[in-house]
Amino acid sequence: MEDLWPLPTVEAADAIRTLCQRLLTETDAMTEVIAGAALMAQYEPALLPDASLVEEDRHLNRSDLVQWLTSNIQQPGRRVEPYIGPRTAEYIRDLVSRGIGPDFAGGWRVALGLGWRRWLEECVAHCTDPDLLVEVIDVSAKSLVQYALDSVSALREASLAAAMGNANADAIALIQLIASGAPMTEDLAEGRLRYRLARPHVGLVVWTDDTQRAKALDDVVAAVRSASAGGSALIARASATSRWIWLSGTATPDLRHVEKIVAEVADVRAAVGRPGKGLDGFRSSHQDALAAQALIVRLGSDRRFTAYADVELIDNITKDPASAQRFVTKTLGPLAEADEALRQALLTYVQCGFNTTRAAANLYAHRNTVERRVSRANELSVVKVEENPTHVAAALLVLEIAPDITAPTPS
């Protein structure tokens, strides 16, 4: 690309290269700082509930950061060409197909401010010569600002190209409208989607964290559709790594077959909403499934199949991970770090209405064994089960979903 400013001196180029090499080791930490703020600045509500799209947006931020740093290691202080790789292009196509139009300029404005501050900190810490510091800041400021402008332009061009080449955008956009609560008649939605809304149905999100596993994802979707004989299925390609599914029938769909299918395929996971009926049920079950997916992603859980009805309380408790960590620690104390068998025994005991015999049957253990485990777990817990069983059970459920939530946060 054409350079729009004089190239740096050899000394400044060496300094820029060294600084970029240092920061390249911090890309994950910097991405965590930048990505969330940049996402909120894009003013696109449809992005926020979808954990798969949020992850793709985070990946885009990391790619932009790595592109600028590596380019300045190779050619310090030069104009950096934006890179729209296959994954980013796929992400843009997914946004366009769903009628989502993020404010890329707004996101970049926030990202640039945060990134620039971290760059200045590194410059001041490692450039002891005032004249060299001024030159490094001057050149890198020109490079970063131009990179932001070029990147926004490249993203807009990619969005336009995706819009021109998307033949199925209308159907996906209609689903997005229904899911977001736009006014619409049931007859119109059924006719356009060719999916019966008046019957009981349930929404699912099926996704993978590995972009290379898209084929496996589609295999799972095909198996779910095939196993739903007697009912109907609506499938939407929500992103490169996720699919939205609605299943309906004369009775509420039984999803045990879905759980079995997902369990047999590596790297694919599913979240399920509560059953519903009509447009409201279509929407609310889908929102439940998205919330369950977001919970699993937020907590870094390895659960493969999650029903929102089972985790709604945990979702509300863990909106703020730091607060959830305090809740678990203050409630369970040493029990949080104890043998998992103790925690499972106490949780099952509470869930079985404090009936040791039922708990033993559910755990496939001897009644005396369960009694000993429950007694020991209660000794370790700060809050005793007889004092506040709701808090104890909730804290144990949080740990069951996210066993590492009490682990120390890396500095």
Side-chain angles (χ1 to χ4, degrees):
M1 299 183 75
E2 178 187 2
D3 287 311
L4 304 177
W5 54 87
L7 297 181
T9 61
V10 173
E11 293 77 12
D14 288 342
I16 291 171
R17 182 181 291 109
T18 300
L19 293 170
C20 288
Q21 288 170 336
R22 290 176 184 274
L23 289 177
L24 195 59
T25 65
E26 299 181 18
T27 50
D28 288 339
M30 291 178 66
T31 298
E32 291 306 313
V33 172
I34 291 171
L39 179 65
M40 296 301 295
Q42 292 179 66
Y43 307 109
E44 182 43 77
L47 260 176
L48 301 178
D50 192 320
S52 293
L53 289 184
V54 169
E55 175 58 24
E56 291 307 300
D57 193 78
R58 191 198 69 81
H59 174 78
L60 174 58
N61 277 274
R62 188 182 188 282
S63 297
D64 287 338
L65 180 60
V66 170
Q67 174 71 357
W68 190 82
L69 290 173
T70 54
S71 295
N72 273 276
I73 290 171
Q74 296 165 2
Q75 296 181 310
R78 303 287 291 268
R79 186 178 180 182
V80 176
E81 183 170 3
Y83 174 64
I84 304 293
R87 183 169 176 177
T88 298
E90 195 78 9
Y91 172 52
I92 297 298
R93 284 194 291 271
D94 292 336
L95 293 178
V96 170
S97 71
R98 290 169 54 181
I100 299 175
D103 178 6
F104 292 123
W108 252 104
R109 191 177 301 113
V110 170
L112 186 61
L114 293 170
W116 178 245
R117 180 178 179 84
R118 181 68 189 93
W119 177 255
L120 285 180
E121 291 171 350
E122 200 70 12
C123 289
V124 171
H126 297 286
C127 293
T128 55
D129 182 338
D131 292 334
L132 178 61
L133 175 62
V134 169
E135 184 181 0
V136 167
I137 291 175
D138 180 52
V139 173
S140 56
K142 291 181 172 69
S143 177
L144 262 176
V145 170
Q146 189 60 49
Y147 181 55
L149 295 172
D150 291 339
S151 295
V152 170
S153 178
L155 288 169
R156 286 173 174 166
E157 288 178 10
S159 298
L160 179 59
M164 294 175 66
N166 191 345
N168 199 38
D170 287 347
I172 304 299
L174 180 65
I175 291 173
Q176 183 70 41
L177 284 172
I178 297 171
S180 64
M184 188 172 303
T185 66
E186 194 170 289
D187 289 345
L188 174 62
E190 284 190 349
R192 294 277 297 278
L193 296 176
R194 297 182 181 180
Y195 172 81
R196 292 184 61 182
L197 291 165
R199 299 193 299 181
H201 48 208
V202 64
L204 301 89
V205 176
V206 180
W207 82 98
T208 178
D209 299 321
D210 184 353
T211 56
Q212 304 302 314
R213 295 287 289 165
K215 176 62 167 59
L217 185 64
D218 288 329
D219 289 344
V220 167
V221 171
V224 170
R225 186 196 289 271
S226 298
S228 302
S232 61
L234 174 65
I235 314 294
R237 184 187 186 282
S239 74
T241 56
S242 68
R243 305 291 183 267
W244 293 347
I245 305 175
W246 286 263
L247 301 176
S248 71
T250 54
T252 300
D254 184 349
L255 298 178
R256 284 176 294 184
H257 69 283
V258 177
E259 184 173 5
K260 183 178 179 181
I261 290 167
V262 170
E264 293 174 350
V265 181
D267 302 321
V268 175
R269 300 196 270 177
V272 182
R274 290 167 293 198
K277 192 174 182 179
L279 272 175
D280 287 341
F282 183 94
R283 181 181 301 119
S284 63
S285 189
H286 174 65
Q287 290 170 339
D288 282 353
L290 285 176
Q293 180 199 21
L295 166 71
I296 296 303
V297 173
R298 181 173 72 242
L299 297 182
S301 173
D302 59 2
R303 280 173 67 125
R304 301 287 304 282
F305 184 88
T306 305
Y308 188 66
D310 296 338
V311 298
E312 183 176 12
L313 174 62
I314 308 309
D315 183 34
N316 286 290
I317 290 173
T318 59
K319 294 292 187 185
D320 176 8
S323 176
Q325 183 184 53
R326 288 194 299 273
F327 170 72
V328 170
T329 302
K330 289 181 179 295
T331 302
L332 301 181
L335 180 57
E337 305 298 330
D339 187 342
E340 184 182 351
L342 296 180
R343 298 198 300 269
Q344 190 59 52
L346 184 58
L347 177 59
T348 305
Y349 174 67
V350 176
Q351 291 173 329
C352 289
F354 310 100
N355 186 311
T356 308
T357 302
R358 286 176 55 199
N362 285 356
L363 292 168
Y364 301 101
H366 193 278
R367 189 178 190 278
N368 291 343
T369 301
V370 173
E371 283 184 344
R372 287 195 300 271
R373 289 176 180 174
V374 167
S375 177
R376 178 56 180 157
N378 205 32
E379 288 176 7
L380 292 172
S381 182
V382 172
V383 177
K384 306 306 176 185
V385 70
E386 62 272 13
E387 296 171 357
N388 197 330
T390 302
H391 276 207
V392 171
L396 289 169
L397 281 169
V398 172
L399 269 183
E400 184 179 61
I401 294 172
D404 296 330
I405 195 168
T406 58
T409 303
S411 57

